[in-house]
Amino acid sequence: MSIPEDTTIDAAEVERFSAMAAEWWDPTGKFKPLHKFNPVRLEYIKRQVCSQFERDFNDTQAFKGLRFLDIGCGGGLLSEPMARLGAEVVGADPSTTNVEIASIHARQSGLDIDYRPVTAEELRAQGETFDVVLNMEVVEHVANVDLFITECAGMVRPGGLMFIATINRTLKAWGLAIVAAEQILRWLPRGTHQYEKLVTPEELYQPLAKSNMTVIDSTGVFYNPIQDRWNLSRDMDVNYMMLARKDS
């Protein structure tokens, strides 16, 4: 892949996740933490989308008629549940290997998902627009956070939503998300996250505001070892999710 100078792509990050692509759908493999994390973020997405678009949360096709972008989709762990809820889904990832794995799994699952090996800037240049952009566990892996947020926000339709999930750049996050998770507990391969690339909520506000987007909700997320599950929390010092709406 030829990487232009002004880009959101971090080639080393693309290579790292491409090398692990075959394990995306193994709940006991290298992506086990994401499989554990999926239920809490799926419920958060569904509740917020249903609230903002006045949909019935209990409707199995609650997202019918809505167009979603799962940017940095990886193997499709979020794209597939969105499609099952009736959404028209575009899954985008700069890793061709990830897209191939995601496409195969979608076909095996009987789901019609439009997976594309493209960047956010390429999609925006093509004039693509969406009701909902899922920007989940991606911003800490890009080369230029402001550019990435700007490109993603530029594809959100007026009144549409963008979800962002990432890890805060705090000493607490360094201790739990990097030292504990990667070096001690080995939940993630060592080097999955670099402290200097973690992103604070405040660093997202400016590019969102410049893109005519308003943050309407934010929440922390924490892992409960007794319950062996992730839960929403007021504490945003480590993992957090944010929801922004495009002003009409």
Side-chain angles (χ1 to χ4, degrees), residues 198-211:
L198 302 183
V199 183
T200 70
E202 292 74 20
E203 290 168 338
L204 297 173
Y205 295 149
Q206 187 172 9
L208 284 170
K210 286 184 177 180
S211 299

Side-chain angles (χ1 to χ4, degrees), residues 134-152:
L134 302 180
N135 188 338
M136 311 294 276
E137 288 75 46
V138 183
V139 295
E140 70 269 28
H141 300 293
V142 303
N144 185 324
V145 174
D146 282 8
L147 176 61
F148 183 67
I149 292 296
T150 300
E151 297 292 350
C152 290

Side-chain angles (χ1 to χ4, degrees), residues 207-227:
L208 284 170
K210 286 184 177 180
S211 299
N212 204 31
M213 298 202 71
T214 301
V215 175
I216 59 174
D217 192 72
S218 57
T219 180
V221 192
F222 81 101
Y223 175 70
N224 186 319
I226 297 175
Q227 297 176 322

Side-chain angles (χ1 to χ4, degrees), residues 5-212:
E5 184 175 338
D6 190 15
T7 179
T8 64
I9 298 303
D10 184 321
E13 295 287 73
V14 173
E15 183 178 352
R16 178 180 294 110
F17 283 93
S18 294
M20 299 188 290
E23 297 194 46
W24 272 109
W25 287 96
D26 180 359
T28 63
K30 292 179 179 177
F31 292 103
K32 179 179 178 179
L34 272 184
H35 284 271
K36 288 281 189 183
F37 193 46
N38 236 16
V40 71
R41 62 180 184 170
L42 288 174
E43 182 172 354
Y44 181 74
I45 292 167
K46 188 178 181 184
R47 286 199 179 279
Q48 292 291 348
V49 169
C50 287
S51 175
Q52 294 299 317
F53 289 97
E54 299 182 343
R55 302 298 179 94
D56 180 1
F57 181 83
N58 296 313
D59 185 353
T60 58
Q61 292 288 290
F63 293 171
K64 191 173 181 62
L66 297 177
R67 192 165 193 247
F68 276 59
L69 169 63
D70 184 7
I71 190 71
C73 64
L77 299 187
L78 277 177
S79 295
E80 291 200 8
M82 300 302 106
R84 288 193 182 95
L85 284 166
E88 175 191 346
V89 180
V90 173
D93 198 290
S95 166
T96 301
T97 307
N98 283 343
V99 168
E100 289 173 351
I101 293 291
S103 298
I104 291 170
H105 197 275
R107 287 196 297 271
Q108 292 173 339
S109 302
L111 296 171
D112 183 15
I113 298 174
D114 182 3
Y115 284 116
R116 307 182 195 179
V118 295
T119 65
E121 50 265 42
E122 288 170 338
L123 269 180
R124 188 183 182 193
Q126 293 166 10
E128 295 283 6
T129 62
F130 303 89
D131 298 295
V132 180
V133 172
L134 302 180
N135 188 338
M136 311 294 276
E137 288 75 46
V138 183
V139 295
E140 70 269 28
H141 300 293
V142 303
N144 185 324
V145 174
D146 282 8
L147 176 61
F148 183 67
I149 292 296
T150 300
E151 297 292 350
C152 290
M155 292 185 280
V156 180
R157 294 169 177 170
L161 306 173
M162 180 158 69
F163 291 84
I164 303 173
T166 189
I167 303 173
N168 206 341
R169 193 174 64 254
T170 64
L171 288 178
K172 186 175 179 180
W174 173 78
L176 293 176
I178 295 179
V179 176
E182 295 183 16
Q183 300 174 19
I184 299 174
L185 298 174
R186 305 291 178 90
W187 285 351
L188 295 165
R190 187 184 290 258
T192 297
H193 297 106
Q194 293 85 51
Y195 179 76
E196 64 276 7
K197 294 194 70 174
L198 302 183
V199 183
T200 70
E202 292 74 20
E203 290 168 338
L204 297 173
Y205 295 149
Q206 187 172 9
L208 284 170
K210 286 184 177 180
S211 299
N212 204 31

